[in-house]
Amino acid sequence: MVLGNYKNCVSARAADPAILTASQDGGIVTQLFAFALEEGIIDGAIVAGQGDEPFKPEPVVATTVAELMEARGTRYTICPNVSMIKEATRSYGLDKVGIVGTPCQIQAVRKAQLYPMGMRSVPDKIALAIGIFCMENFPYQGLETMVEDLCNVKMENAVKMDIGKGKFSVYTERGAVSQIPLKLTHKFEQGGCHVCLDYVANLADVSTGSVGSPDGWSTVFTRTKAGETIWGKAIEAGYFETKPIADVKPGLDLVTKLATEKITKNQKTLEGRATFGVDKGLRNPYI
């Protein structure tokens, strides 16, 4: 089951124009955390804020909607959000934590809840874990090379980056768009991404990504009872517009296709690792 267990799937976008305008796609993460903050479901959320360099994120604890708004958008390099969990519970004193992460990060969150070695304060504090679809990620230096050398755009002049329809796109402050085919980006991918078998953040409460939905909308899976309850309350309160996923194109077929491709490709990497080296292969992280 390449899409993991889920309770429901829809195409959705934020109802708040201010959130939708500057968000990556449907503004799902920002809008759902904003709702959860306003309703007291979470005390704060660990999100990827802006670091010292353009598009180099750093984890921040957002306790207001304004702070969530500052962290909107996708940055295609890893942000160690999980490292902020203890800080959120101890220094910030949060009892109900929201966290967003890639599939591997959500796996780490669930591991920390199951085996809380060094994470004693974590297991009962995670109130909402939102996962984002992820095929691969890039080290910051690799991202910089892609943007500046291949797309010929200075990092400080970029206002948005996007991956879709077989291309990596960089949007500039002057409205120009520079694109390269995705095949040129593969050599910059993080090596660790090639052993990951999860495209859609199977272990999140709610997972989301642009794939499967029209431009400006996002595909949303509710996966846990908590995720289903929070999402249902947000819908009831009018925080999102939704459409049945069966009514939109390209729909779940494309999500399934990409999830299958990631698993198939990376399974080969895992099999290759098993016989790598002399008489002893590398461990399969999924066993």
Side-chain angles (χ1 to χ4, degrees):
M1 191 172 180
V2 299
L3 300 182
N5 294 320
Y6 63 91
K7 296 179 179 299
N8 195 19
C9 180
V10 296
S11 184
R13 67 180 181 184
D16 185 342
I19 289 178
L20 197 56
T21 300
S23 294
Q24 188 74 12
D25 297 296
I28 303 300
V29 176
T30 304
Q31 183 78 89
L32 190 56
F33 276 152
F35 168 75
L37 268 178
E38 290 169 354
E39 294 298 313
I41 296 168
I42 60 173
D43 301 323
I46 301 170
V47 295
Q50 180 57 54
D52 294 334
E53 299 180 59
F55 287 88
K56 187 174 187 178
E58 63 178 27
V60 298
V61 177
T63 57
T64 66
V65 174
E67 290 170 341
L68 286 174
M69 297 283 267
E70 290 177 6
R72 285 173 296 176
T74 296
R75 299 165 184 86
Y76 288 99
T77 190
I78 201 70
C79 184
N81 286 3
V82 179
S83 68
M84 187 59 80
I85 292 180
K86 287 175 67 175
E87 185 78 2
T89 58
R90 296 182 181 179
S91 298
Y92 286 77
L94 303 188
D95 292 320
K96 295 172 286 186
V97 179
I99 184 167
V100 60
T102 55
C104 58
Q105 291 178 315
I106 298 300
Q107 289 174 23
V109 170
R110 298 312 189 199
K111 273 188 179 179
Q113 290 181 283
L114 278 174
Y115 309 105
M117 288 184 292
M119 290 277 194
R120 282 181 302 167
S121 57
V122 168
D124 62 340
K125 301 293 193 303
I126 304 299
L128 177 59
I130 302 179
I132 49 180
F133 299 176
C134 180
M135 186 65 82
E136 65 273 317
N137 211 296
F138 306 99
Y140 185 73
Q141 191 170 15
L143 181 68
E144 195 172 35
T145 301
M146 288 159 50
V147 173
E148 298 205 339
D149 293 355
L150 302 186
C151 294
N152 200 29
V153 176
K154 286 287 186 185
M155 289 291 278
E156 56 266 32
N157 293 335
V159 295
K160 181 178 179 180
M161 300 176 194
D162 191 24
I163 291 177
K165 300 172 183 172
K167 296 176 181 175
F168 173 74
S169 304
V170 182
Y171 300 80
T172 74
E173 57 191 355
R174 292 192 171 187
V177 183
S178 181
Q179 297 178 314
I180 56 173
L182 274 184
K183 63 182 181 183
L184 297 181
T185 70
H186 293 326
K187 66 180 178 182
F188 300 105
E189 294 166 0
Q190 303 265 18
C193 298
H194 296 162
V195 298
C196 177
L197 304 180
D198 186 357
Y199 175 63
V200 287
N202 292 328
L203 299 183
D205 293 311
V206 176
S207 65
T208 185
S210 63
V211 171
S213 289
D215 291 346
W217 292 69
S218 297
T219 301
V220 179
F221 291 95
T222 51
R223 297 186 175 278
T224 65
K225 184 176 180 181
E228 183 181 44
T229 300
I230 296 168
W231 179 256
K233 288 180 178 177
I235 296 295
E236 193 175 307
Y239 277 67
F240 292 99
E241 295 178 59
T242 66
K243 296 178 181 178
I245 193 69
D247 291 352
V248 304
K249 298 292 182 183
L252 274 187
D253 286 348
L254 183 57
V255 186
T256 302
K257 177 176 180 288
L258 294 186
T260 303
E261 285 180 2
K262 179 173 183 178
I263 292 170
T264 303
K265 182 180 71 173
N266 290 353
Q267 190 67 51
K268 290 179 181 175
T269 302
L270 290 172
E271 292 168 1
R273 284 163 51 106
T275 56
F276 181 79
V278 180
D279 298 329
K280 187 174 183 181
L282 295 174
R283 187 177 69 85
N284 183 337
Y286 283 87
I287 296 177

